[in-house]
Short mmCIF file of all heavy atoms in Angstrom, two decimals:
data_model
loop_
_atom_site.label_atom_id
_atom_site.label_comp_id
_atom_site.label_asym_id
_atom_site.label_seq_id
_atom_site.Cartn_x
_atom_site.Cartn_y
_atom_site.Cartn_z
N GLY A 8 85.61 -33.28 63.40
CA GLY A 8 85.71 -34.31 62.38
C GLY A 8 86.15 -35.67 62.89
O GLY A 8 86.30 -36.61 62.10
N ARG A 9 86.32 -35.81 64.21
CA ARG A 9 86.73 -37.10 64.77
C ARG A 9 85.56 -38.07 64.79
O ARG A 9 84.39 -37.69 64.62
CB ARG A 9 87.26 -36.90 66.20
CG ARG A 9 88.53 -36.04 66.31
CD ARG A 9 89.76 -36.89 66.52
NE ARG A 9 89.72 -37.63 67.76
CZ ARG A 9 90.23 -37.18 68.92
NH1 ARG A 9 90.77 -35.97 69.00
NH2 ARG A 9 90.19 -37.95 70.00
N THR A 10 85.87 -39.33 65.01
CA THR A 10 84.86 -40.39 65.12
C THR A 10 85.00 -41.07 66.47
O THR A 10 86.12 -41.26 66.97
CB THR A 10 85.02 -41.40 63.98
OG1 THR A 10 84.44 -40.85 62.79
CG2 THR A 10 84.34 -42.73 64.28
N ILE A 11 83.87 -41.47 67.07
CA ILE A 11 83.87 -42.23 68.32
C ILE A 11 83.23 -43.58 68.05
O ILE A 11 82.02 -43.72 68.02
CB ILE A 11 83.12 -41.49 69.44
CG1 ILE A 11 83.76 -40.12 69.70
CG2 ILE A 11 83.12 -42.34 70.71
CD1 ILE A 11 83.01 -39.29 70.73
N GLN A 12 84.06 -44.57 67.78
CA GLN A 12 83.61 -45.95 67.57
C GLN A 12 83.67 -46.73 68.88
O GLN A 12 82.78 -47.51 69.20
CB GLN A 12 84.49 -46.63 66.53
CG GLN A 12 84.47 -48.16 66.53
CD GLN A 12 83.18 -48.73 66.02
OE1 GLN A 12 82.63 -48.27 65.03
NE2 GLN A 12 82.67 -49.75 66.70
N VAL A 13 84.75 -46.50 69.65
CA VAL A 13 84.92 -47.17 70.93
C VAL A 13 85.34 -46.13 71.97
O VAL A 13 85.74 -45.01 71.62
CB VAL A 13 85.99 -48.29 70.85
CG1 VAL A 13 85.52 -49.43 69.95
CG2 VAL A 13 87.33 -47.75 70.36
N VAL A 14 85.27 -46.50 73.23
CA VAL A 14 85.57 -45.58 74.33
C VAL A 14 86.96 -44.96 74.16
O VAL A 14 87.15 -43.75 74.32
CB VAL A 14 85.45 -46.29 75.68
CG1 VAL A 14 86.02 -45.44 76.81
CG2 VAL A 14 84.00 -46.66 75.96
N LYS A 15 87.95 -45.79 73.83
CA LYS A 15 89.31 -45.27 73.80
C LYS A 15 89.64 -44.46 72.55
O LYS A 15 90.79 -44.07 72.36
CB LYS A 15 90.32 -46.41 73.99
CG LYS A 15 90.36 -47.45 72.90
CD LYS A 15 91.41 -48.50 73.26
CE LYS A 15 91.50 -49.60 72.19
NZ LYS A 15 92.51 -50.62 72.55
N ASP A 16 88.62 -44.18 71.71
CA ASP A 16 88.83 -43.19 70.66
C ASP A 16 89.02 -41.80 71.26
O ASP A 16 89.49 -40.88 70.58
CB ASP A 16 87.66 -43.19 69.67
CG ASP A 16 87.76 -44.34 68.68
OD1 ASP A 16 88.88 -44.84 68.45
OD2 ASP A 16 86.72 -44.75 68.13
N LEU A 17 88.61 -41.64 72.51
CA LEU A 17 88.98 -40.46 73.29
C LEU A 17 90.01 -40.89 74.33
O LEU A 17 89.80 -41.89 75.04
CB LEU A 17 87.77 -39.84 74.00
CG LEU A 17 86.64 -39.28 73.12
CD1 LEU A 17 85.57 -38.63 74.00
CD2 LEU A 17 87.17 -38.27 72.11
N SER A 18 91.11 -40.19 74.41
CA SER A 18 92.11 -40.49 75.43
C SER A 18 91.54 -40.24 76.82
O SER A 18 90.47 -39.63 76.97
CB SER A 18 93.36 -39.62 75.23
OG SER A 18 93.06 -38.26 75.53
N LEU A 19 92.23 -40.68 77.86
CA LEU A 19 91.76 -40.42 79.22
C LEU A 19 91.68 -38.92 79.49
O LEU A 19 90.75 -38.46 80.17
CB LEU A 19 92.68 -41.11 80.24
CG LEU A 19 92.54 -42.63 80.33
CD1 LEU A 19 93.56 -43.19 81.32
CD2 LEU A 19 91.13 -43.03 80.75
N ASP A 20 92.63 -38.16 78.97
CA ASP A 20 92.57 -36.70 79.13
C ASP A 20 91.32 -36.14 78.45
O ASP A 20 90.65 -35.24 78.98
CB ASP A 20 93.81 -36.04 78.53
CG ASP A 20 95.04 -36.20 79.41
OD1 ASP A 20 94.89 -36.58 80.59
OD2 ASP A 20 96.16 -35.96 78.92
N GLU A 21 91.01 -36.66 77.27
CA GLU A 21 89.85 -36.18 76.53
C GLU A 21 88.54 -36.59 77.20
O GLU A 21 87.57 -35.84 77.21
CB GLU A 21 89.92 -36.69 75.09
CG GLU A 21 91.05 -36.05 74.30
CD GLU A 21 91.24 -36.66 72.92
OE1 GLU A 21 90.75 -37.79 72.69
OE2 GLU A 21 91.89 -36.02 72.08
N GLN A 22 88.52 -37.81 77.77
CA GLN A 22 87.33 -38.23 78.51
C GLN A 22 87.12 -37.35 79.74
O GLN A 22 85.99 -36.93 80.03
CB GLN A 22 87.47 -39.69 78.92
CG GLN A 22 87.41 -40.68 77.76
CD GLN A 22 87.76 -42.09 78.17
OE1 GLN A 22 87.28 -42.58 79.19
NE2 GLN A 22 88.60 -42.75 77.40
N ALA A 23 88.20 -37.05 80.45
CA ALA A 23 88.09 -36.17 81.62
C ALA A 23 87.59 -34.79 81.20
O ALA A 23 86.79 -34.16 81.91
CB ALA A 23 89.45 -36.06 82.32
N TYR A 24 88.04 -34.33 80.05
CA TYR A 24 87.58 -33.03 79.53
C TYR A 24 86.09 -33.08 79.21
O TYR A 24 85.33 -32.14 79.53
CB TYR A 24 88.38 -32.68 78.28
CG TYR A 24 87.97 -31.41 77.59
CD1 TYR A 24 88.42 -30.17 78.04
CD2 TYR A 24 87.13 -31.44 76.48
CE1 TYR A 24 88.03 -28.99 77.40
CE2 TYR A 24 86.74 -30.27 75.83
CZ TYR A 24 87.20 -29.06 76.30
OH TYR A 24 86.81 -27.90 75.67
N LEU A 25 85.63 -34.17 78.59
CA LEU A 25 84.21 -34.33 78.29
C LEU A 25 83.38 -34.26 79.57
O LEU A 25 82.33 -33.61 79.61
CB LEU A 25 83.98 -35.65 77.55
CG LEU A 25 82.56 -35.97 77.08
CD1 LEU A 25 82.61 -36.85 75.84
CD2 LEU A 25 81.73 -36.67 78.14
N TYR A 26 83.85 -34.94 80.63
CA TYR A 26 83.10 -34.94 81.88
C TYR A 26 83.09 -33.55 82.53
O TYR A 26 82.07 -33.13 83.08
CB TYR A 26 83.67 -35.98 82.85
CG TYR A 26 83.69 -37.38 82.28
CD1 TYR A 26 84.76 -38.24 82.48
CD2 TYR A 26 82.63 -37.84 81.49
CE1 TYR A 26 84.78 -39.51 81.93
CE2 TYR A 26 82.64 -39.12 80.95
CZ TYR A 26 83.73 -39.94 81.17
OH TYR A 26 83.75 -41.20 80.62
N LYS A 27 84.21 -32.83 82.44
CA LYS A 27 84.25 -31.48 83.00
C LYS A 27 83.28 -30.56 82.25
O LYS A 27 82.53 -29.79 82.87
CB LYS A 27 85.68 -30.92 82.91
CG LYS A 27 85.81 -29.49 83.41
CD LYS A 27 87.22 -28.96 83.23
CE LYS A 27 87.33 -27.53 83.76
NZ LYS A 27 86.42 -26.59 83.08
N LYS A 28 83.29 -30.64 80.92
CA LYS A 28 82.41 -29.78 80.13
C LYS A 28 80.94 -30.16 80.35
O LYS A 28 80.05 -29.30 80.35
CB LYS A 28 82.77 -29.88 78.65
CG LYS A 28 84.07 -29.17 78.29
CD LYS A 28 83.96 -27.68 78.58
CE LYS A 28 85.23 -26.92 78.24
NZ LYS A 28 85.11 -25.48 78.55
N THR A 29 80.67 -31.46 80.52
CA THR A 29 79.31 -31.89 80.80
C THR A 29 78.84 -31.34 82.14
O THR A 29 77.69 -30.90 82.29
CB THR A 29 79.21 -33.43 80.78
OG1 THR A 29 79.63 -33.92 79.50
CG2 THR A 29 77.78 -33.89 81.03
N ARG A 30 79.73 -31.38 83.11
CA ARG A 30 79.40 -30.81 84.43
C ARG A 30 79.08 -29.32 84.32
O ARG A 30 78.10 -28.84 84.88
CB ARG A 30 80.59 -31.05 85.37
CG ARG A 30 80.37 -30.58 86.80
CD ARG A 30 81.66 -30.80 87.60
NE ARG A 30 81.50 -30.42 89.00
CZ ARG A 30 82.49 -30.43 89.88
NH1 ARG A 30 83.71 -30.81 89.49
NH2 ARG A 30 82.28 -30.06 91.13
N ASP A 31 79.92 -28.59 83.56
CA ASP A 31 79.69 -27.15 83.38
C ASP A 31 78.35 -26.89 82.67
O ASP A 31 77.59 -26.00 83.05
CB ASP A 31 80.83 -26.53 82.55
CG ASP A 31 82.16 -26.55 83.29
OD1 ASP A 31 82.16 -26.75 84.52
OD2 ASP A 31 83.20 -26.38 82.61
N LEU A 32 78.09 -27.68 81.62
CA LEU A 32 76.84 -27.52 80.87
C LEU A 32 75.62 -27.81 81.74
O LEU A 32 74.64 -27.05 81.75
CB LEU A 32 76.84 -28.45 79.65
CG LEU A 32 75.52 -28.57 78.90
CD1 LEU A 32 75.22 -27.28 78.14
CD2 LEU A 32 75.54 -29.76 77.94
N LYS A 33 75.67 -28.91 82.47
CA LYS A 33 74.54 -29.31 83.31
C LYS A 33 74.25 -28.24 84.35
O LYS A 33 73.08 -27.87 84.58
CB LYS A 33 74.82 -30.66 83.96
CG LYS A 33 73.66 -31.20 84.79
CD LYS A 33 73.97 -32.60 85.33
CE LYS A 33 72.80 -33.13 86.16
NZ LYS A 33 73.08 -34.50 86.69
N GLN A 34 75.29 -27.74 84.97
CA GLN A 34 75.11 -26.70 85.99
C GLN A 34 74.51 -25.44 85.37
O GLN A 34 73.62 -24.81 85.97
CB GLN A 34 76.45 -26.37 86.66
CG GLN A 34 76.96 -27.48 87.57
CD GLN A 34 78.34 -27.19 88.14
OE1 GLN A 34 79.05 -26.29 87.67
NE2 GLN A 34 78.75 -27.96 89.13
N ALA A 35 74.98 -25.08 84.17
CA ALA A 35 74.46 -23.87 83.51
C ALA A 35 72.98 -24.03 83.16
O ALA A 35 72.17 -23.12 83.39
CB ALA A 35 75.28 -23.58 82.25
N ILE A 36 72.61 -25.17 82.60
CA ILE A 36 71.22 -25.40 82.21
C ILE A 36 70.30 -25.43 83.43
O ILE A 36 69.24 -24.79 83.45
CB ILE A 36 71.08 -26.70 81.39
CG1 ILE A 36 71.76 -26.53 80.03
CG2 ILE A 36 69.63 -27.08 81.21
CD1 ILE A 36 71.76 -27.78 79.16
N LEU A 37 70.70 -26.16 84.47
CA LEU A 37 69.86 -26.29 85.66
C LEU A 37 69.73 -24.98 86.42
O LEU A 37 68.72 -24.72 87.07
CB LEU A 37 70.41 -27.39 86.58
CG LEU A 37 70.40 -28.82 86.01
CD1 LEU A 37 70.90 -29.81 87.05
CD2 LEU A 37 69.02 -29.20 85.52
N ALA A 38 70.78 -24.13 86.31
CA ALA A 38 70.75 -22.84 87.01
C ALA A 38 70.13 -21.74 86.15
O ALA A 38 70.03 -20.60 86.59
CB ALA A 38 72.17 -22.44 87.43
N GLY A 39 69.75 -22.07 84.92
CA GLY A 39 69.15 -21.08 84.03
C GLY A 39 70.15 -20.06 83.51
O GLY A 39 69.77 -18.95 83.12
N LYS A 40 71.43 -20.43 83.48
CA LYS A 40 72.47 -19.52 83.01
C LYS A 40 72.65 -19.64 81.50
O LYS A 40 72.10 -20.55 80.85
CB LYS A 40 73.79 -19.81 83.72
CG LYS A 40 73.75 -19.56 85.22
CD LYS A 40 75.09 -19.85 85.87
CE LYS A 40 75.06 -19.58 87.37
NZ LYS A 40 76.37 -19.89 88.01
N ASP A 41 73.44 -18.74 80.92
CA ASP A 41 73.68 -18.74 79.48
C ASP A 41 74.48 -19.98 79.08
O ASP A 41 75.54 -20.25 79.63
CB ASP A 41 74.44 -17.48 79.08
CG ASP A 41 74.71 -17.43 77.57
OD1 ASP A 41 73.90 -18.00 76.82
OD2 ASP A 41 75.74 -16.86 77.18
N TRP A 42 73.95 -20.75 78.13
CA TRP A 42 74.66 -21.95 77.66
C TRP A 42 75.00 -21.86 76.18
O TRP A 42 75.39 -22.85 75.56
CB TRP A 42 73.83 -23.19 77.93
CG TRP A 42 72.34 -23.04 77.74
CD1 TRP A 42 71.42 -22.89 78.71
CD2 TRP A 42 71.62 -23.03 76.50
NE1 TRP A 42 70.15 -22.79 78.17
CE2 TRP A 42 70.25 -22.86 76.81
CE3 TRP A 42 71.99 -23.12 75.16
CZ2 TRP A 42 69.25 -22.80 75.84
CZ3 TRP A 42 71.00 -23.05 74.19
CH2 TRP A 42 69.66 -22.88 74.53
N GLN A 43 74.90 -20.67 75.57
CA GLN A 43 75.15 -20.53 74.15
C GLN A 43 76.59 -20.85 73.76
O GLN A 43 76.86 -21.24 72.62
CB GLN A 43 74.81 -19.11 73.70
CG GLN A 43 73.32 -18.81 73.68
CD GLN A 43 72.58 -19.70 72.69
OE1 GLN A 43 73.05 -19.92 71.56
NE2 GLN A 43 71.43 -20.23 73.10
N GLN A 44 77.51 -20.72 74.70
CA GLN A 44 78.92 -20.99 74.41
C GLN A 44 79.15 -22.45 73.99
O GLN A 44 80.15 -22.77 73.35
CB GLN A 44 79.77 -20.68 75.64
CG GLN A 44 79.36 -21.51 76.86
CD GLN A 44 80.23 -21.27 78.07
OE1 GLN A 44 81.45 -21.35 77.97
NE2 GLN A 44 79.60 -20.96 79.21
#
Side-chain angles (χ1 to χ4, degrees):
R9 296 258 297 268
T10 281
I11 301 176
Q12 160 71 43
V13 293
V14 169
K15 64 180 180 181
D16 281 337
L17 296 184
S18 69
L19 286 177
D20 284 345
E21 291 173 341
Q22 291 171 46
Y24 177 82
L25 183 151
Y26 302 140
K27 178 183 181 300
K28 287 298 180 181
T29 301
R30 183 183 182 184
D31 294 344
L32 170 71
K33 183 176 180 179
Q34 289 175 347
I36 291 177
L37 296 183
K40 296 181 179 179
D41 180 30
W42 38 258
Q43 288 298 317
Q44 59 177 308

